[in-house]
Amino acid sequence: MRLSFVVLALVGFLWQVNTAAADLPVGQLSHDGPPTPEQVSLYLPVTGALDLVATASVRYRPTTGANWSAAHPLYRIRISGTAGTPPADAFAGVITDLTPGTSYTVEVAIRLGGSSVTTMLTAVTRALPGPAGTPTKVIAAGSTSSQIQAAFDQSEPGEVIQFTNGTYTVDDLLVRRSGTPSMPIYIRGESRTGVVLKSSSGRNILRFLEASDVVVENLTLVGSKQDSGTDASSRGIVFWGDTNSMPQQRVTIRQITIDGVDMGIIASSGTQQLLVYDNTLVGNNLWAQDFLESNRTWNDDGIRVPGQGNAVFNNTLSGFGDSLTVNDGVDNVGIHFYRNEITWTGDDTFEGDYGTRNITFYDNRVHNAMTLASFDPIYSGPAFVFRNIAINLGRSPYKLNNKNSGIFLYNNTVVRTNGYGSGAGWGWNQSNNGPLTAWGYRNNILIYRGTGNLMAMESSGQNPIDFTHNAWYPDKAVWWSTSGGSFSSISAARSGLPPTQGVFSASTTRHEGCVITEADPFVEEIKLGDDYLTLITQMYVPILADGTAPRAKGESIPGITDGFSGDAPDIGALISGRPVPTWGDRSAPGAQQRIVTALEYFHAGFAHYFVTAEQEEIRKLDAGVFSGWARTGQGFNVYTSAANGLVPVCRFFTTAFPPSSSHFYALRGLGCEGTLQDPHWQLESDVFYMRIPDANGNCPSAMIPVYRLYNNGQGGAPNHRFTTSYQTRLEMLANGYIAEGVGIGVGMCAPI
């Protein structure tokens, strides 16, 4: 059987519990949009008059667990502070750092004075699509564009279309057949570098026409390799549609390379549940003055995914204008960008312009960009930008133009020098382009090594606001011209600005808790050029050194600084106690932590399971060299090389229980050492690398538990099954298997 591409239902049950005599006017808590892999987006309507000082705290737990965790509070949408059509009155927010395919129970408590209402929700994060099965249709090397198109047009749900290694000259291939949620169509290459689809016209390579439930993986697309200016004519993958089209849903693009294009993966109208991960995209722009100080890059989007429930993570991009973005004219809800690596981009790294609500951009690493994040504007919010790293920005780090509210910038690290335009004379210059209200800037580092002043926040509004516990360099002029005055230093601004109301913090003082940092407070020195035009090619990991000003000077923010060590969290993106993220394409050739999929097989005669990530072994199993084995369709990702925090996985073999043999996998530190003492088992080798779960069986962010199940000697021979599916775990337990490992039976943690 094949692994079903199951899109789990989000809402298991809803209920409200009133905890005071007087009800507060709120509706039902709901998941905001379709499910995403590592987030739960929340929406709670306000149904009557409710003072803006009412709060909505959030806590959550795995539905099978007992321990609650606090999440970021919900944001009360400011109708009067929003550009465009006034939004509905509601609370909204996002829980992040969750595990795919997992059920969570969420509790929201709304409080106003002595009254409160508690609402609860069960939501299931989205499971990632499983590995492709055996190819059902093979495209031979040398096939023409028309022959390939015919194969696409004859595809049926569940088919695996595989290109044989070779270079194919194609002309606007159309994907217009859909799979189903449980039986997607796979379009893939025999190998990622061996299959090259090259555009004959320098325009679109793959174009989706109202097609859903398709996985594109493991191949290379090559465009014109010539910049076309603002025409942006060379495109990798395009989703075609208009407002009258059915939204394209559940398309996954993973483990591909797109090279030499003006635009990478592009949708213009609404899409739903797009997954774009573990890809490398190379655009046609240059890091050169004539590109950066003109409009030449403005239409060159890297990944543009407007719609609802889309996720873009662990991609590596260079050579685009706006690397990651949504689009105007679409209700953009519950869209998330995380752990991407941007080596350089000619305009905004993240253009959140025209986002609606529950938009996140977090744990990304950026070198060489003009702006880190732009909102011009966002329609209602909230939008969260947190734990991002930005080295060498040409303009201001943030562009908050137009009438804006609901933007929250937390724990970002920015290091820059002399820039261009608004970034030439200020570390951060925000012109008065519309009022900013109900927004936050906390726990951020801004280091400006240029010759100008520190910050000019010219926008009107600025109340309510959270603007505390940030680190700055140098201590020079700070202007809040339209909302309090201009000052010569951070301390002068702190004492001279009028009081404000907080959004989530209790502070009424801007710059409360701010510190002046060293010019280079990091363990590894960050070296910049004389100005932003010097391309930074070394990828920095800006961990704070002991004793520096931003260490342990931050403010604890639920859902943002979780897991910090010490008395207080560090200011900046990399927080002591939290693991350093894995940025960018994890599957790219030569990636530091290369990831492959271990596939599962079943032998009906023995009733035994077996997993392997060895390509030669997989080839022989599929070819029937080892008789009796068939793919189950399940599997999980593994690391093929060592890295900080990973441990080897031992593979054992036994023939002590004839006529069947069996394999067993165990982490060093969790089962390997004990098995080494058992004479029935022979150590074959360390075969891959994984993370050890904690004592309760929990895995860190961006990893998923692998459940270990023992057959209890059924059939007269031991055998284990390893699965990331909680449902499969329950089925095996019902069939007499025993859970092993830690917690509820977690044997290791796998990369997503």
Side-chain angles (χ1 to χ4, degrees):
M1 76 182 168
R2 293 178 10 68
L3 176 66
S4 295
F5 182 20
V6 179
V7 180
L8 296 170
L10 263 172
V11 178
F13 51 91
L14 288 161
W15 74 92
Q16 284 191 313
V17 180
N18 293 336
T19 58
D23 291 348
L24 297 178
V26 295
Q28 276 198 331
L29 178 67
S30 65
H31 193 283
D32 199 21
T36 49
E38 299 181 35
Q39 305 81 20
V40 168
S41 297
L42 299 171
Y43 187 76
L44 180 64
V46 175
T47 57
L50 182 64
D51 197 295
L52 285 173
V53 301
T55 62
S57 61
V58 182
R59 66 175 189 164
Y60 67 96
R61 59 176 173 82
T63 301
T64 58
N67 297 324
W68 292 90
S69 298
H72 193 282
L74 297 188
Y75 167 70
R76 178 73 175 280
I77 293 171
R78 279 2 188 235
I79 300 172
S80 62
T82 300
T85 303
D89 193 0
F91 290 94
V94 183
I95 306 171
T96 59
D97 298 329
L98 303 178
T99 300
T102 302
S103 176
Y104 290 91
T105 298
V106 180
E107 178 187 272
V108 175
I110 303 92
R111 296 181 176 87
L112 178 62
S115 297
S116 65
V117 170
T118 299
T119 72
M120 301 188 77
L121 163 74
T122 291
V124 181
T125 53
R126 183 181 175 186
L128 300 180
T134 303
T136 57
K137 186 177 294 181
V138 175
I139 297 177
S143 295
T144 65
S145 188
S146 60
Q147 290 171 326
I148 298 168
Q149 187 63 64
F152 283 8
D153 289 345
Q154 295 165 12
S155 59
E156 298 292 338
E159 284 204 304
V160 178
I161 304 171
Q162 181 162 298
F163 286 85
T164 304
N165 284 341
T167 298
Y168 302 78
T169 302
V170 299
D171 183 15
D172 199 19
L173 290 174
L174 304 179
V175 181
R176 49 194 173 194
R177 298 281 291 177
S178 295
T180 67
S182 62
M183 298 180 66
I185 296 170
Y186 286 81
I187 299 172
R188 67 189 317 274
E190 180 182 356
S191 68
R192 179 169 175 173
T193 57
V195 174
V196 178
L197 307 185
K198 182 173 174 55
S199 171
S200 63
S201 62
R203 301 191 72 83
N204 301 325
I205 300 173
L206 283 179
R207 186 152 55 106
F208 279 76
L209 299 179
E210 298 189 19
S212 297
D213 296 302
V214 178
V215 177
V216 180
E217 64 181 15
N218 206 44
L219 43 76
T220 295
L221 311 182
V222 177
S224 67
K225 293 202 170 187
Q226 293 183 346
D227 174 60
S228 63
T230 56
D231 183 46
S233 57
S234 180
R235 307 180 184 104
I237 298 177
V238 178
F239 291 85
W240 183 90
D242 55 32
T243 54
N244 297 318
S245 303
M246 291 290 291
Q248 298 178 88
Q249 303 177 69
R250 296 176 300 278
V251 173
T252 297
I253 301 169
R254 64 186 181 189
Q255 299 174 7
I256 71 170
T257 299
I258 301 179
D259 187 18
V261 294
D262 299 316
M263 305 175 82
I265 300 169
I266 303 299
S268 296
S269 59
T271 56
Q272 293 183 2
Q273 291 189 277
L274 298 190
L275 293 180
V276 182
Y277 64 96
D278 284 324
N279 304 293
T280 295
L281 289 78
V282 180
N284 287 329
N285 294 325
L286 301 176
W287 187 261
Q289 190 167 12
D290 58 330
F291 280 81
L292 303 173
E293 297 183 5
S294 69
N295 67 347
R296 193 165 169 177
T297 71
W298 286 8
N299 293 333
D300 297 342
D301 294 345
I303 300 175
R304 187 171 72 204
V305 288
Q308 297 88 42
N310 299 329
V312 177
F313 58 98
N314 282 111
N315 302 284
T316 299
L317 295 92
S318 63
F320 295 97
D322 296 331
S323 280
L324 305 168
T325 180
V326 292
N327 202 40
D328 198 5
V330 178
D331 192 23
N332 296 296
V333 172
I335 304 178
H336 311 289
F337 303 83
Y338 48 105
R339 298 193 303 275
N340 298 287
E341 177 92 90
I342 314 298
T343 58
W344 62 270
T345 193
D347 197 7
D348 301 327
T349 306
F350 173 53
E351 187 175 87
D353 304 4
Y354 319 119
T356 304
R357 64 177 179 268
N358 287 340
I359 307 294
T360 67
F361 177 75
Y362 64 93
D363 285 343
N364 301 283
R365 183 169 68 166
V366 181
H367 288 70
N368 312 297
M370 297 306 280
T371 304
L372 174 59
S374 169
F375 295 97
D376 187 11
I378 187 168
Y379 299 125
S380 86
F384 297 96
V385 176
F386 60 90
R387 299 193 309 247
N388 300 290
I389 295 163
I391 310 296
N392 194 37
L393 299 179
R395 293 194 298 261
S396 289
Y398 312 101
K399 182 171 67 179
L400 311 179
N401 287 349
N402 217 306
K403 185 180 183 180
N404 266 311
S405 61
I407 300 167
F408 298 95
L409 312 171
Y410 298 141
N411 283 90
N412 300 289
T413 294
V414 173
V415 182
R416 58 180 304 264
T417 186
N418 290 310
Y420 163 73
S422 63
W426 293 92
W428 176 8
N429 178 34
Q430 175 58 52
S431 60
N432 190 8
N433 198 275
L436 301 179
T437 57
W439 71 289
Y441 183 79
R442 290 191 283 170
N443 288 358
N444 301 282
I445 295 176
L446 174 56
I447 293 174
Y448 175 54
R449 299 182 189 162
T451 56
N453 282 299
L454 185 56
M455 185 190 77
M457 182 58 65
E458 302 282 63
S459 301
S460 60
Q462 308 301 345
N463 192 22
I465 185 174
D466 298 326
F467 207 95
T468 71
H469 295 84
N470 300 293
W472 307 87
Y473 179 88
D475 190 13
K476 297 178 75 172
V478 177
W479 292 4
W480 295 81
S481 304
T482 62
S483 63
S486 300
F487 307 92
S488 61
S489 66
I490 291 289
S491 60
R494 182 166 50 239
S495 60
L497 287 167
T500 54
Q501 178 185 348
V503 185
F504 296 113
S505 76
S507 176
T508 60
T509 303
R510 281 173 276 181
H511 295 290
E512 182 176 350
C514 286
V515 299
I516 306 303
T517 182
E518 300 82 355
D520 201 318
F522 309 109
V523 172
E524 179 184 20
E525 181 184 2
I526 295 178
K527 298 178 181 179
L528 304 179
D530 292 334
D531 60 32
Y532 81 100
L533 291 170
T534 301
L535 183 71
I536 306 304
T537 57
Q538 180 175 347
M539 299 293 102
Y540 289 104
V541 181
I543 296 172
L544 291 171
D546 291 339
T548 54
R551 279 295 300 271
K553 299 295 176 54
E555 190 173 25
S556 180
I557 304 175
I560 308 297
T561 62
D562 298 348
F564 73 86
S565 59
D567 295 332
D570 296 334
I571 297 175
L574 301 183
I575 304 167
S576 298
R578 290 185 54 85
V580 174
T582 298
W583 298 288
D585 182 356
R586 301 164 296 180
S587 65
Q592 186 175 9
Q593 294 182 36
R594 188 162 179 263
I595 291 175
V596 299
T597 300
L599 300 179
E600 183 185 59
Y601 292 80
F602 180 68
H603 194 293
F606 299 150
H608 278 193
Y609 294 91
F610 171 65
V611 292
T612 180
E614 298 294 329
Q615 293 304 303
E616 182 62 17
E617 202 165 47
I618 289 170
R619 186 190 68 78
K620 289 181 178 179
L621 285 162
D622 289 341
V625 175
F626 308 122
S627 62
W629 293 96
R631 291 193 189 193
T632 67
Q634 292 204 33
F636 50 88
N637 289 336
V638 302
Y639 291 109
T640 61
S641 57
N644 185 36
L646 303 180
V647 298
V649 175
C650 308
R651 173 167 146 171
F652 293 91
F653 178 67
T654 182
T655 57
F657 306 90
S660 61
S661 59
S662 189
H663 286 85
F664 174 59
Y665 294 86
L667 289 169
R668 291 195 179 271
L670 187 58
C672 177
E673 290 76 8
T675 311
L676 286 169
Q677 306 305 313
D678 189 331
H680 294 108
W681 292 93
Q682 175 187 346
L683 176 66
E684 291 187 325
S685 65
D686 293 340
V687 287
F688 42 79
Y689 297 83
M690 303 288 262
R691 178 89 67 161
I692 295 180
D694 68 17
N696 296 316
N698 297 317
C699 291
S701 173
M703 306 197 87
I704 189 170
V706 179
Y707 303 108
R708 190 174 100 196
L709 297 133
Y710 171 50
N711 73 348
N712 201 22
Q714 297 178 54
N719 187 242
H720 289 78
R721 188 172 191 187
F722 298 85
T723 180
T724 59
S725 167
Y726 187 76
Q727 183 60 39
T728 298
R729 172 188 176 274
L730 294 178
E731 292 171 359
M732 301 312 291
L733 292 174
N735 289 333
Y737 277 61
I738 297 173
E740 293 186 340
V742 293
I744 62 171
V746 179
M748 60 190 83
C749 297
I752 294 170

